Amino acid sequence: MKRVLVITYYWPPAGGSGVQRWLKFSKFLPQYGWQPVIYTPENPDMPVTDESLLADIDVRTEILKTPIREPYGIYRSMFGIRKDKAAGTRVHGKGGGFKSWLTNVIRANLFIPDPRRVWVSSSVNYLREYLRNHPVDVIVSTGPPHSMHLIARKLVEKIPCAWIADFRDPWTGMFYFKHLKMLPFVRGMHRRMEADVLRKADAVIVVSDRMRTDFLKVSGVDPDKVSVITNGFDPDDFVRVDEAPSDKFTLVHTGLMVRDGNPEYVWLALSEMLREIDGFSSALRIRLIGETDDYVLDSVRNAGLGDYLEHVPYIPHKDIVLEQDRASVLLLPLRNEPEAGAILTGKFFEYLASGRPVLAIGPCDGDLAAVLEKCQAGEIYDFSDKEGVKKALVARYRDFVSGRLNSNNENENINAYSRRSLTGVLVEKMNMLE
């Protein structure tokens, strides 16, 4: 069996979105003749844990761990941040006052490219010794955090091996990069590091077509070197359950919802519908599942929807499917940023697999809009399109009342995004390199 070393910060029992991509690739790799070797921190900063994800680790997976020292404990004690808040989340948003500004400045100028940089040297030394006795055919680094790419870059200089740099999100093209209070020379350091990784990696994988285009614009790298393997869904997570749909018209959002992704016009449209549609007040329910910014929760309440709001901070990933399956509408607001057109989150593909109608808020000419259209899975409206949002919600409510709110999970185009199929695409890439 061939072997691939995967350098990743996120691994179970860590919960959240960052862990899903390579957990699922690793689950299916042995079916294609590849043994995954996972290198990950022994003591990562984990705002949430999800023990249920451990069941997805194939027994043939080898897991390597070394300690990491991180600054987030100091951050929390200085600024009163709770352990269950994702490290750095406020730094990437807008507003937040002096504390947010100060953490932004510290984060941006002292930890380059990110606070996990302190793990690079020790990881290179450890892996160099490991690979001398346990060679692999391909090395994969996945970021963010982009320090994982720095580990791989230094490692292949010492132990020559084919290297794939996998970008789950952009680097300097990420929406929050422009908000970080960086000194000019620090911004330049990021760009040079990014270009160096893109140039030296044997192959680069990104998660959307727009992201690939953006990388090619800034890097000058050979277009044949950069390919797209999207996120996806694991069919094993979506075995249909014999559970009656909710008797409420339920809007569901799962995962992180941040201040600059607040779908304000959704709340205002629902508020108007309460006043205008008989019986709507007894049917409506809003379930926000996952870390949700207080600004968003206040926005829901300020729209007069507090009595209909249910906020559940976190549930295990295995239970998310039940929430999605019973939803009347799955809400998917992107960040209200121009870079959002390149974003295809893992959550979106799980929405697709659920078959429930998606109401997305974001750029109508981005990659998300294209996949929604391809799969006939829902609609997307700009953040400023209040009338479009309201029209869609009214139509979905009428479908709910008439019993026509059917599942769309049989659309054949959705199957292309199964994690098993996507792993096959990854294996083709690895076979060409090793």
Side-chain angles (χ1 to χ4, degrees):
M1 185 174 282
K2 299 175 184 178
R3 285 160 49 87
V4 54
L5 171 66
V6 181
I7 302 171
T8 177
Y9 180 83
Y10 298 105
W11 191 253
S17 59
V19 72
Q20 290 291 322
R21 182 171 172 85
W22 281 93
L23 171 63
K24 297 299 187 178
F25 278 146
S26 297
K27 174 183 176 179
F28 293 111
L29 276 170
Q31 298 179 19
Y32 292 91
W34 283 82
Q35 179 194 17
V37 180
I38 306 299
Y39 177 67
T40 194
E42 185 177 274
N43 55 323
D45 188 273
M46 295 190 296
V48 294
T49 60
D50 188 344
E51 300 287 341
S52 71
L53 296 178
L54 295 169
D56 274 334
I57 301 176
D58 187 274
V59 294
R60 290 161 285 190
T61 301
E62 183 178 352
I63 301 175
L64 311 173
K65 295 184 178 183
T66 64
I68 184 173
R69 299 179 65 183
E70 300 188 69
Y72 290 124
I74 299 174
Y75 265 25
R76 291 190 176 97
S77 63
M78 288 177 61
F79 302 113
I81 301 172
R82 300 199 315 268
K83 173 68 176 176
D84 62 347
K85 290 293 183 182
T89 298
R90 294 293 304 211
V91 177
H92 301 160
K94 302 174 184 177
F98 175 75
K99 288 183 179 180
S100 179
W101 175 87
L102 183 58
T103 56
N104 192 317
V105 170
I106 294 172
R107 155 70 176 84
N109 295 286
L110 291 185
F111 305 109
I112 306 167
D114 52 66
R116 282 77 182 210
R117 175 65 187 261
V118 298
W119 198 47
V120 172
S121 294
S122 62
S123 295
V124 172
N125 292 336
Y126 173 83
L127 291 172
R128 179 178 57 185
E129 293 303 315
Y130 172 83
L131 291 176
R132 282 175 177 167
N133 298 313
H134 308 87
V136 297
D137 299 279
V138 174
I139 293 172
V140 173
S141 56
T142 180
H146 299 301
S147 288
M148 305 302 104
H149 300 310
L150 302 190
I151 294 173
R153 185 195 66 183
K154 291 180 178 293
L155 187 60
V156 297
E157 291 174 354
K158 301 177 183 297
I159 305 288
C161 186
W163 168 30
I164 297 175
D166 173 66
F167 288 85
R168 303 187 316 277
D169 286 318
W171 190 329
T172 61
M174 191 61 173
F175 64 90
Y176 62 70
F177 188 78
K178 63 180 180 289
H179 296 307
L180 293 171
K181 309 300 183 184
M182 291 180 186
L183 295 170
F185 82 90
V186 172
R187 199 170 294 274
M189 289 178 66
H190 275 274
R191 298 193 186 281
R192 288 191 295 274
M193 285 180 178
E194 177 185 43
D196 193 47
V197 167
L198 294 172
R199 184 172 59 252
K200 292 183 178 177
D202 296 288
V204 176
I205 296 175
V206 297
V207 299
S208 72
D209 291 328
R210 182 76 64 88
M211 190 171 161
R212 178 180 182 273
T213 300
D214 291 345
F215 264 153
L216 294 177
K217 286 179 181 178
V218 301
S219 69
V221 70
D222 181 355
D224 292 336
K225 191 176 180 177
V226 185
S227 55
V228 177
I229 302 180
T230 67
N231 289 305
F233 65 93
D234 182 353
D236 295 341
D237 292 340
F238 288 87
V239 177
R240 310 313 293 177
V241 293
D242 295 327
E243 186 167 348
S246 174
D247 59 357
K248 296 283 188 179
F249 181 69
T250 308
L251 272 73
V252 172
H253 177 270
T254 61
L256 180 68
M257 187 181 286
V258 294
R259 181 188 182 104
D260 59 356
N262 179 35
E264 182 178 6
Y265 283 152
V266 170
W267 317 137
L268 294 179
L270 291 172
S271 181
E272 291 181 3
M273 290 168 67
L274 286 171
R275 296 192 297 269
E276 297 168 359
I277 301 176
D278 290 340
F280 189 62
S281 61
S282 61
L284 177 62
R285 181 169 63 175
I286 303 167
R287 284 181 62 78
L288 304 183
I289 302 167
E291 185 178 346
T292 305
D293 195 290
D294 290 341
Y295 179 88
V296 177
L297 297 175
D298 288 342
S299 181
V300 176
R301 297 182 183 108
N302 290 339
L305 302 173
D307 291 342
Y308 309 95
L309 172 64
E310 298 175 4
H311 176 221
V312 183
Y314 187 80
I315 62 175
H317 183 262
K318 66 181 180 64
D319 295 330
I320 291 293
V321 61
L322 300 178
E323 295 287 345
Q324 294 169 344
D325 203 51
R326 300 196 69 198
S328 306
V329 176
L330 289 167
L331 186 60
L332 183 59
L334 301 180
R335 303 265 185 161
N336 193 5
E337 302 274 1
E339 297 87 351
I343 301 301
L344 280 174
T345 65
K347 169 174 61 187
F348 167 58
F349 295 99
E350 295 189 341
Y351 278 16
L352 284 184
S354 76
R356 312 312 299 165
V358 177
L359 175 60
I361 312 296
C364 295
D365 59 351
D367 285 5
L368 174 60
V371 179
L372 275 173
E373 175 64 25
K374 175 183 176 181
C375 296
Q376 294 295 293
E379 301 157 300
I380 186 168
Y381 297 91
D382 188 84
F383 270 91
S384 62
D385 189 359
K386 177 184 173 183
E387 292 307 313
V389 168
K390 182 178 179 181
K391 181 179 178 181
L393 285 169
V394 170
R396 297 290 79 75
Y397 178 63
R398 288 173 177 165
D399 289 342
F400 168 80
V401 171
S402 63
R404 298 195 307 268
L405 201 61
N406 297 320
S407 174
N408 184 49
N409 60 297
E410 300 302 325
N411 187 300
E412 62 182 16
N413 290 325
I414 294 176
N415 294 329
Y417 300 107
S418 77
R419 297 282 191 183
R420 185 182 288 107
S421 297
L422 294 169
T423 303
V425 178
L426 170 66
V427 166
E428 289 180 7
K429 176 67 64 177
M430 295 195 302
N431 286 336
M432 292 173 61
L433 293 176
E434 56 90 21

